[in-house]
Amino acid sequence: MSKIGSKWTTRGKKAMLLGSGELGKEVALELQRMGVEVVACDKYANAPAMHVADKALVFNMLDPVALRENIERERPDHIIPEVEAIATPVLVELEKEGYNVTPTANAAFLTMNREGIRRLAAEELGLKTSPYRFASDYTEFVEAVNSVGIPCVVKPIMSSSGHGQSVIRSQSDIEKSWHIAQEGGRAGAGRVIVEGFVNFDYEITMLTVRSVAGTSYCEPVGHIQIDGDYRYSWQPQAMTAEAKNKAQEIALKITDALGGYGIFGVELFVKGDDVIFSEVSPRPHDTGMVTMISQDMSEFALHARAILGLPVPEIRFLGPSASRAVVVEGDSECIEMDNLEKVLEEPGVQMRIFGKPQVHGHRRMGVILATDDSVEEARDKAERAYNKLHVNLF
C-alpha cells in the first residue's frame, strides 16, 4: 500500500530534485500538493524550484563527492534527476545501496549522454534513427562529418536546450561547429554526435507515463525548435492513426527498456506514416509545458503521481492548446515582464514566469499558454499574447 505521512515526521516522505529549473519547479509544486518534503538542488542559488521548495542546496552536481555527500546527508526517499549535468555513476552506486532513483539510475545514466541512449535505441532495440557517428577529437569529427554527409547536425553528447548544437551546411562550417560543440557541452569539452539530416514532415514529443497502472500516453505534442531549443508546442499534433500507433509502439519499447516509474519525453520525427526515434528524456519535457493548460493532470502532476507509486488510470485531454516560450536575450541581473494586463486580456490565455535571477546571452524566462477551438487558433492566440509582452532588462 502507498502511504504518505505528515511532513517532517518519521512517516513523511522526502524528495530531492537534482536540478531546479522551471520544469523542476512544477514537479516540486505537484509533490508538495501530495504532502512531500522537497529539497531543491542546483549549481546556482535562487533557481526556480528553490522558490517553492522546503530546502535549497547549491553545489556542483557533476562533482561526485559533493553529490554523494548531499544525498547521504538528506537521505531522501526519492532522488529525482531533472537535468543531464549530474554525476550519474554515483546514482548507480547509491541505487545499489538502497536509494530510490527516478525512474532508475540506469535510465538517468543512459540518457545523460546522447551516446548511451542512441546506442540503446538503434543498436539494442533496433529502432529506426537518423544516421550517426560519434567523435572524441577533431580528426574523428571531420571523419564523422564526411561519413554522415553534409548537411548534418552536431551536438555535444551531454547538453540540453540546444546548447552546443549547430548545423553544418558546407565544408566551411566544420571547424566552427566543432568549437560550438566544445563550448556548449554540459560537462565541458568532450565527445560529440554527428547526425544526418532526416526528411520529416513534423516532430513530436510522445509523453509516456509508466506507473503502477501500466503505460499511458498523452496526446502527441507538436513543436518547433530553433537551434535545438523549443520555442512553440501544441497539442494535439494531427497525425495518421498508423503514425500515432507507431509512435506509441516506439515509446513503449524505449521506456520499457529504461524501466521505472515516471514520465518520459520521447522525441520522434514523423514522415507520413513513418516514425523515426530521435531522443528520450526520463523526466518532464520542455515541449510538454503545454500540458499545464491542455490536460486535467499536467506532465508534472503525472510525473509526481507515478514517482510516488500511485496509479494513473486516465489522462483527460481538455482540448486544443498551445505554448509559446518566452526567450530573453541580453545581459542582465534583473529582468522585468511588462504589459502583462495586455498579455492576459484574451480568454483562454495563461502565463508562467519562471523567476530566473539573471540572463547572460539567451535564456527561457517564461511561457505563454493558450486554448481555443483548434490548434491553429490556440497557436495564434499564444503568439498574439507573446507579441504584447514587453521585457525590460536593468
Side-chain angles (χ1 to χ4, degrees), residues 141-190:
F141 177 65
V142 174
E143 292 173 354
V145 172
N146 291 332
S147 175
V148 169
I150 296 174
C152 58
V153 180
V154 179
K155 306 171 185 175
I157 62 168
M158 288 173 55
S159 73
S160 63
S161 299
H163 294 295
Q165 181 171 320
S166 63
V167 177
I168 295 177
R169 302 187 186 279
S170 68
Q171 290 285 333
S172 62
D173 293 331
I174 293 178
E175 185 174 356
K176 180 176 68 175
S177 287
W178 171 255
H179 289 301
I180 291 172
Q182 295 306 295
E183 293 167 3
R186 282 272 187 174

CSV table of all heavy atoms in Angstrom, one decimal, residues 141-190:
chain,number,residue,atom,x,y,z
A,141,PHE,N,36.1,13.9,-35.7
A,141,PHE,CA,35.0,14.7,-36.0
A,141,PHE,C,34.9,14.9,-37.5
A,141,PHE,O,33.8,14.7,-38.1
A,141,PHE,CB,35.0,16.0,-35.3
A,141,PHE,CG,33.9,17.0,-35.6
A,141,PHE,CD1,32.6,16.7,-35.3
A,141,PHE,CD2,34.2,18.2,-36.2
A,141,PHE,CE1,31.6,17.6,-35.6
A,141,PHE,CE2,33.2,19.1,-36.5
A,141,PHE,CZ,31.9,18.8,-36.2
A,142,VAL,N,36.0,15.3,-38.2
A,142,VAL,CA,36.0,15.5,-39.6
A,142,VAL,C,35.6,14.2,-40.3
A,142,VAL,O,34.8,14.2,-41.3
A,142,VAL,CB,37.3,16.0,-40.1
A,142,VAL,CG1,37.4,16.1,-41.6
A,142,VAL,CG2,37.6,17.4,-39.5
A,143,GLU,N,36.1,13.1,-39.9
A,143,GLU,CA,35.8,11.8,-40.5
A,143,GLU,C,34.3,11.5,-40.3
A,143,GLU,O,33.7,11.0,-41.2
A,143,GLU,CB,36.7,10.7,-39.8
A,143,GLU,CG,38.1,10.8,-40.1
A,143,GLU,CD,39.0,9.8,-39.3
A,143,GLU,OE1,38.4,9.1,-38.5
A,143,GLU,OE2,40.2,9.7,-39.6
A,144,ALA,N,33.8,11.8,-39.1
A,144,ALA,CA,32.3,11.6,-38.9
A,144,ALA,C,31.5,12.4,-39.8
A,144,ALA,O,30.5,11.9,-40.4
A,144,ALA,CB,32.0,11.8,-37.4
A,145,VAL,N,31.8,13.7,-40.0
A,145,VAL,CA,31.0,14.5,-40.9
A,145,VAL,C,31.1,14.0,-42.3
A,145,VAL,O,30.0,13.9,-43.0
A,145,VAL,CB,31.6,16.0,-40.8
A,145,VAL,CG1,30.9,16.8,-41.9
A,145,VAL,CG2,31.4,16.6,-39.4
A,146,ASN,N,32.3,13.6,-42.7
A,146,ASN,CA,32.4,13.1,-44.1
A,146,ASN,C,31.6,11.8,-44.3
A,146,ASN,O,31.1,11.5,-45.4
A,146,ASN,CB,33.9,12.9,-44.5
A,146,ASN,CG,34.6,14.2,-44.6
A,146,ASN,OD1,34.0,15.2,-45.0
A,146,ASN,ND2,35.9,14.2,-44.3
A,147,SER,N,31.6,11.0,-43.2
A,147,SER,CA,30.8,9.7,-43.3
A,147,SER,C,29.3,9.9,-43.3
A,147,SER,O,28.6,9.3,-44.1
A,147,SER,CB,31.2,8.8,-42.1
A,147,SER,OG,30.5,7.6,-42.0
A,148,VAL,N,28.8,10.8,-42.4
A,148,VAL,CA,27.4,11.0,-42.4
A,148,VAL,C,26.9,11.8,-43.6
A,148,VAL,O,25.9,11.6,-44.1
A,148,VAL,CB,27.0,11.7,-41.1
A,148,VAL,CG1,25.6,12.3,-41.1
A,148,VAL,CG2,27.2,10.8,-39.9
A,149,GLY,N,27.8,12.8,-44.0
A,149,GLY,CA,27.4,13.7,-45.1
A,149,GLY,C,26.9,15.0,-44.7
A,149,GLY,O,26.4,15.2,-43.6
A,150,ILE,N,27.1,16.0,-45.6
A,150,ILE,CA,26.6,17.3,-45.3
A,150,ILE,C,25.3,17.5,-46.2
A,150,ILE,O,25.3,17.1,-47.3
A,150,ILE,CB,27.7,18.3,-45.8
A,150,ILE,CG1,28.9,18.2,-44.8
A,150,ILE,CG2,27.2,19.8,-45.7
A,150,ILE,CD1,30.1,19.0,-45.3
A,151,PRO,N,24.3,18.2,-45.6
A,151,PRO,CA,24.2,18.8,-44.3
A,151,PRO,C,24.1,17.8,-43.1
A,151,PRO,O,23.6,16.7,-43.3
A,151,PRO,CB,23.0,19.7,-44.4
A,151,PRO,CG,22.1,19.0,-45.3
A,151,PRO,CD,23.0,18.4,-46.3
A,152,CYS,N,24.5,18.2,-41.9
A,152,CYS,CA,24.3,17.3,-40.8
A,152,CYS,C,24.2,18.2,-39.5
A,152,CYS,O,24.5,19.4,-39.5
A,152,CYS,CB,25.5,16.3,-40.6
A,152,CYS,SG,27.1,17.1,-40.5
A,153,VAL,N,23.8,17.6,-38.4
A,153,VAL,CA,23.6,18.3,-37.1
A,153,VAL,C,24.7,17.8,-36.2
A,153,VAL,O,25.0,16.6,-36.1
A,153,VAL,CB,22.2,18.0,-36.5
A,153,VAL,CG1,22.1,18.8,-35.2
A,153,VAL,CG2,21.1,18.5,-37.5
A,154,VAL,N,25.3,18.7,-35.4
A,154,VAL,CA,26.3,18.4,-34.5
A,154,VAL,C,25.8,18.8,-33.1
A,154,VAL,O,25.3,19.9,-32.9
A,154,VAL,CB,27.6,19.2,-34.8
A,154,VAL,CG1,28.7,18.8,-33.7
A,154,VAL,CG2,28.1,18.8,-36.2
A,155,LYS,N,26.0,17.8,-32.1
A,155,LYS,CA,25.6,18.1,-30.7
A,155,LYS,C,26.6,17.5,-29.8
A,155,LYS,O,27.1,16.4,-30.0
A,155,LYS,CB,24.2,17.4,-30.4
A,155,LYS,CG,23.1,17.8,-31.4
A,155,LYS,CD,21.9,16.9,-31.1
A,155,LYS,CE,20.8,17.1,-32.1
A,155,LYS,NZ,19.7,16.1,-31.9
A,156,PRO,N,26.9,18.2,-28.7
A,156,PRO,CA,27.6,17.5,-27.6
A,156,PRO,C,26.8,16.3,-27.1
A,156,PRO,O,25.6,16.4,-27.1
A,156,PRO,CB,27.8,18.6,-26.5
A,156,PRO,CG,27.4,19.9,-27.2
A,156,PRO,CD,26.5,19.5,-28.3
A,157,ILE,N,27.5,15.3,-26.7
A,157,ILE,CA,26.7,14.1,-26.2
A,157,ILE,C,26.1,14.5,-24.9
A,157,ILE,O,25.1,13.8,-24.4
A,157,ILE,CB,27.6,12.8,-26.1
A,157,ILE,CG1,28.7,13.0,-25.1
A,157,ILE,CG2,28.1,12.4,-27.4
A,157,ILE,CD1,29.4,11.7,-24.7
A,158,MET,N,26.6,15.5,-24.2
A,158,MET,CA,25.9,15.9,-22.9
A,158,MET,C,25.6,17.4,-23.0
A,158,MET,O,26.4,18.3,-22.9
A,158,MET,CB,26.9,15.7,-21.7
A,158,MET,CG,27.1,14.3,-21.4
A,158,MET,SD,28.4,14.0,-20.1
A,158,MET,CE,27.8,15.1,-18.8
A,159,SER,N,24.3,17.7,-23.3
A,159,SER,CA,23.8,19.1,-23.4
A,159,SER,C,22.3,19.0,-23.4
A,159,SER,O,21.7,18.0,-23.6
A,159,SER,CB,24.4,19.8,-24.6
A,159,SER,OG,23.7,19.4,-25.8
A,160,SER,N,21.7,20.2,-23.3
A,160,SER,CA,20.2,20.3,-23.4
A,160,SER,C,19.9,21.7,-23.8
A,160,SER,O,20.7,22.6,-23.9
A,160,SER,CB,19.6,20.0,-22.0
A,160,SER,OG,19.9,21.0,-21.1
A,161,SER,N,18.6,21.8,-24.2
A,161,SER,CA,18.1,23.1,-24.7
A,161,SER,C,18.9,23.8,-25.8
A,161,SER,O,19.0,25.0,-25.9
A,161,SER,CB,18.0,24.1,-23.5
A,161,SER,OG,17.1,23.6,-22.5
A,162,GLY,N,19.5,22.9,-26.6
A,162,GLY,CA,20.2,23.4,-27.8
A,162,GLY,C,21.6,23.9,-27.6
A,162,GLY,O,22.3,24.3,-28.5
A,163,HIS,N,22.1,23.8,-26.3
A,163,HIS,CA,23.4,24.3,-26.0
A,163,HIS,C,24.4,23.5,-26.8
A,163,HIS,O,24.5,22.3,-26.7
A,163,HIS,CB,23.7,24.3,-24.5
A,163,HIS,CG,22.8,25.2,-23.7
A,163,HIS,ND1,22.9,26.6,-23.9
A,163,HIS,CD2,21.8,25.0,-22.8
A,163,HIS,CE1,22.0,27.2,-23.0
A,163,HIS,NE2,21.4,26.2,-22.4
A,164,GLY,N,25.3,24.2,-27.5
A,164,GLY,CA,26.4,23.5,-28.2
A,164,GLY,C,26.0,22.9,-29.5
A,164,GLY,O,26.8,22.2,-30.2
A,165,GLN,N,24.7,23.0,-29.9
A,165,GLN,CA,24.2,22.4,-31.2
A,165,GLN,C,24.4,23.4,-32.3
A,165,GLN,O,24.2,24.6,-32.2
A,165,GLN,CB,22.7,22.1,-31.0
A,165,GLN,CG,22.1,21.4,-32.2
A,165,GLN,CD,20.7,20.9,-31.9
A,165,GLN,OE1,20.5,20.3,-30.9
A,165,GLN,NE2,19.8,21.0,-32.9
A,166,SER,N,24.7,22.8,-33.5
A,166,SER,CA,24.8,23.6,-34.7
A,166,SER,C,24.6,22.7,-35.9
A,166,SER,O,24.5,21.5,-35.8
A,166,SER,CB,26.2,24.2,-34.8
A,166,SER,OG,27.2,23.2,-34.9
A,167,VAL,N,24.4,23.4,-37.1
A,167,VAL,CA,24.2,22.7,-38.3
A,167,VAL,C,25.4,22.9,-39.3
A,167,VAL,O,25.8,24.1,-39.5
A,167,VAL,CB,22.9,23.1,-39.0
A,167,VAL,CG1,22.7,22.4,-40.3
A,167,VAL,CG2,21.7,22.8,-38.1
A,168,ILE,N,25.9,21.9,-39.9
A,168,ILE,CA,26.9,22.0,-40.9
A,168,ILE,C,26.3,22.0,-42.2
A,168,ILE,O,25.7,21.0,-42.6
A,168,ILE,CB,28.0,20.9,-40.7
A,168,ILE,CG1,28.7,21.0,-39.4
A,168,ILE,CG2,29.0,21.0,-41.9
A,168,ILE,CD1,29.8,19.9,-39.2
A,169,ARG,N,26.4,23.1,-43.0
A,169,ARG,CA,25.7,23.2,-44.3
A,169,ARG,C,26.8,23.2,-45.4
A,169,ARG,O,26.4,23.0,-46.6
A,169,ARG,CB,24.9,24.4,-44.4
A,169,ARG,CG,23.8,24.5,-43.3
A,169,ARG,CD,22.8,25.6,-43.5
A,169,ARG,NE,21.9,25.7,-42.4
A,169,ARG,CZ,20.8,25.0,-42.3
A,169,ARG,NH1,20.5,24.1,-43.2
A,169,ARG,NH2,20.0,25.1,-41.3
A,170,SER,N,28.0,23.4,-45.1
A,170,SER,CA,29.1,23.4,-46.1
A,170,SER,C,30.4,23.0,-45.3
A,170,SER,O,30.5,23.1,-44.1
A,170,SER,CB,29.2,24.7,-46.8
A,170,SER,OG,29.7,25.7,-45.9
A,171,GLN,N,31.4,22.7,-46.1
A,171,GLN,CA,32.8,22.4,-45.5
A,171,GLN,C,33.3,23.5,-44.7
A,171,GLN,O,34.0,23.3,-43.7
A,171,GLN,CB,33.7,22.1,-46.7
A,171,GLN,CG,33.5,20.8,-47.4
A,171,GLN,CD,33.9,19.6,-46.6
A,171,GLN,OE1,34.8,19.6,-45.8
A,171,GLN,NE2,33.3,18.4,-46.9
A,172,SER,N,32.9,24.7,-45.0
A,172,SER,CA,33.5,25.9,-44.2
A,172,SER,C,32.9,25.9,-42.8
A,172,SER,O,33.4,26.7,-42.0
A,172,SER,CB,33.2,27.2,-45.0
A,172,SER,OG,31.8,27.4,-45.1
A,173,ASP,N,31.8,25.2,-42.5
A,173,ASP,CA,31.2,25.2,-41.2
A,173,ASP,C,31.8,24.2,-40.2
A,173,ASP,O,31.5,24.2,-39.0
A,173,ASP,CB,29.7,24.9,-41.3
A,173,ASP,CG,28.9,26.0,-42.1
A,173,ASP,OD1,29.3,27.1,-42.0
A,173,ASP,OD2,27.8,25.6,-42.7
A,174,ILE,N,32.6,23.3,-40.7
A,174,ILE,CA,33.1,22.2,-39.9
A,174,ILE,C,33.8,22.6,-38.7
A,174,ILE,O,33.5,22.2,-37.5
A,174,ILE,CB,33.9,21.2,-40.7
A,174,ILE,CG1,33.0,20.5,-41.8
A,174,ILE,CG2,34.5,20.1,-39.8
A,174,ILE,CD1,33.8,19.6,-42.7
A,175,GLU,N,34.8,23.5,-38.8
A,175,GLU,CA,35.7,23.9,-37.7
A,175,GLU,C,34.8,24.7,-36.7
A,175,GLU,O,34.9,24.5,-35.5
A,175,GLU,CB,36.9,24.7,-38.2
A,175,GLU,CG,37.8,25.0,-37.0
A,175,GLU,CD,39.1,25.7,-37.5
A,175,GLU,OE1,39.3,25.8,-38.8
A,175,GLU,OE2,39.9,26.1,-36.7
A,176,LYS,N,34.0,25.6,-37.2
A,176,LYS,CA,33.1,26.4,-36.3
A,176,LYS,C,32.2,25.5,-35.5
A,176,LYS,O,32.0,25.7,-34.3
A,176,LYS,CB,32.3,27.4,-37.2
A,176,LYS,CG,31.4,28.3,-36.3
A,176,LYS,CD,30.7,29.3,-37.2
A,176,LYS,CE,29.7,28.7,-38.1
A,176,LYS,NZ,28.9,29.7,-38.9
A,177,SER,N,31.6,24.5,-36.1
A,177,SER,CA,30.7,23.6,-35.4
A,177,SER,C,31.4,22.8,-34.3
A,177,SER,O,30.8,22.6,-33.2
A,177,SER,CB,30.0,22.6,-36.4
A,177,SER,OG,29.1,23.3,-37.2
A,178,TRP,N,32.6,22.4,-34.6
A,178,TRP,CA,33.4,21.7,-33.6
A,178,TRP,C,33.6,22.6,-32.3
A,178,TRP,O,33.4,22.1,-31.2
A,178,TRP,CB,34.7,21.3,-34.1
A,178,TRP,CG,35.7,20.7,-33.1
A,178,TRP,CD1,36.8,21.4,-32.6
A,178,TRP,CD2,35.6,19.5,-32.5
A,178,TRP,NE1,37.4,20.5,-31.6
A,178,TRP,CE2,36.7,19.4,-31.5
A,178,TRP,CE3,34.7,18.4,-32.6
A,178,TRP,CZ2,36.9,18.3,-30.8
A,178,TRP,CZ3,34.9,17.3,-31.8
A,178,TRP,CH2,36.0,17.2,-30.9
A,179,HIS,N,33.9,23.8,-32.5
A,179,HIS,CA,34.2,24.8,-31.4
A,179,HIS,C,32.9,25.0,-30.6
A,179,HIS,O,32.9,25.1,-29.4
A,179,HIS,CB,34.8,26.0,-31.9
A,179,HIS,CG,36.2,25.9,-32.3
A,179,HIS,ND1,37.2,25.4,-31.5
A,179,HIS,CD2,36.8,26.1,-33.5
A,179,HIS,CE1,38.4,25.4,-32.1
A,179,HIS,NE2,38.2,25.8,-33.4
A,180,ILE,N,31.8,25.2,-31.4
A,180,ILE,CA,30.5,25.4,-30.7
A,180,ILE,C,30.1,24.2,-29.8
A,180,ILE,O,29.7,24.4,-28.7
A,180,ILE,CB,29.4,25.6,-31.8
A,180,ILE,CG1,29.6,27.0,-32.5
A,180,ILE,CG2,28.0,25.6,-31.1
A,180,ILE,CD1,28.6,27.2,-33.7
A,181,ALA,N,30.3,23.0,-30.3
A,181,ALA,CA,30.0,21.8,-29.5
A,181,ALA,C,30.9,21.7,-28.3
A,181,ALA,O,30.5,21.4,-27.2
A,181,ALA,CB,30.2,20.6,-30.4
A,182,GLN,N,32.2,22.1,-28.4
A,182,GLN,CA,33.1,22.0,-27.3
A,182,GLN,C,32.8,23.0,-26.2
A,182,GLN,O,33.1,22.8,-25.1
A,182,GLN,CB,34.6,22.2,-27.8
A,182,GLN,CG,35.0,21.1,-28.7
A,182,GLN,CD,34.9,19.7,-28.1
A,182,GLN,OE1,35.5,19.4,-27.1
A,182,GLN,NE2,34.0,18.9,-28.7
A,183,GLU,N,32.3,24.2,-26.6
A,183,GLU,CA,32.0,25.2,-25.7
A,183,GLU,C,30.6,25.1,-25.0
A,183,GLU,O,30.3,25.6,-24.0
A,183,GLU,CB,32.0,26.6,-26.4
A,183,GLU,CG,33.4,27.0,-26.8
A,183,GLU,CD,33.4,28.2,-27.8
A,183,GLU,OE1,32.3,28.7,-28.1
A,183,GLU,OE2,34.5,28.5,-28.3
A,184,GLY,N,29.7,24.3,-25.7
A,184,GLY,CA,28.3,24.2,-25.2
A,184,GLY,C,27.9,23.0,-24.4
A,184,GLY,O,26.8,22.9,-23.9
A,185,GLY,N,28.9,22.0,-24.3
A,185,GLY,CA,28.6,20.8,-23.5
A,185,GLY,C,28.3,21.1,-22.0
A,185,GLY,O,29.0,21.9,-21.4
A,186,ARG,N,27.4,20.3,-21.5
A,186,ARG,CA,27.1,20.5,-20.1
A,186,ARG,C,28.3,20.2,-19.1
A,186,ARG,O,28.4,20.8,-18.1
A,186,ARG,CB,25.9,19.5,-19.7
A,186,ARG,CG,24.6,20.0,-20.1
A,186,ARG,CD,23.9,20.9,-19.1
A,186,ARG,NE,22.6,21.2,-19.4
A,186,ARG,CZ,21.7,21.8,-18.6
A,186,ARG,NH1,22.2,22.3,-17.5
A,186,ARG,NH2,20.5,22.1,-19.0
A,187,ALA,N,29.1,19.2,-19.5
A,187,ALA,CA,30.2,18.9,-18.7
A,187,ALA,C,31.5,19.4,-19.3
A,187,ALA,O,32.6,18.9,-19.0
A,187,ALA,CB,30.3,17.4,-18.5
A,188,GLY,N,31.4,20.4,-20.1
A,188,GLY,CA,32.6,21.0,-20.7
A,188,GLY,C,32.9,20.3,-22.1
A,188,GLY,O,32.1,19.6,-22.6
A,189,ALA,N,34.1,20.5,-22.6
A,189,ALA,CA,34.5,20.0,-23.9
A,189,ALA,C,34.5,18.4,-23.8
A,189,ALA,O,34.8,17.8,-22.8
A,189,ALA,CB,35.9,20.5,-24.3
A,190,GLY,N,34.3,17.8,-25.0
A,190,GLY,CA,34.2,16.4,-25.0
A,190,GLY,C,33.6,15.8,-26.3
A,190,GLY,O,33.6,16.5,-27.3
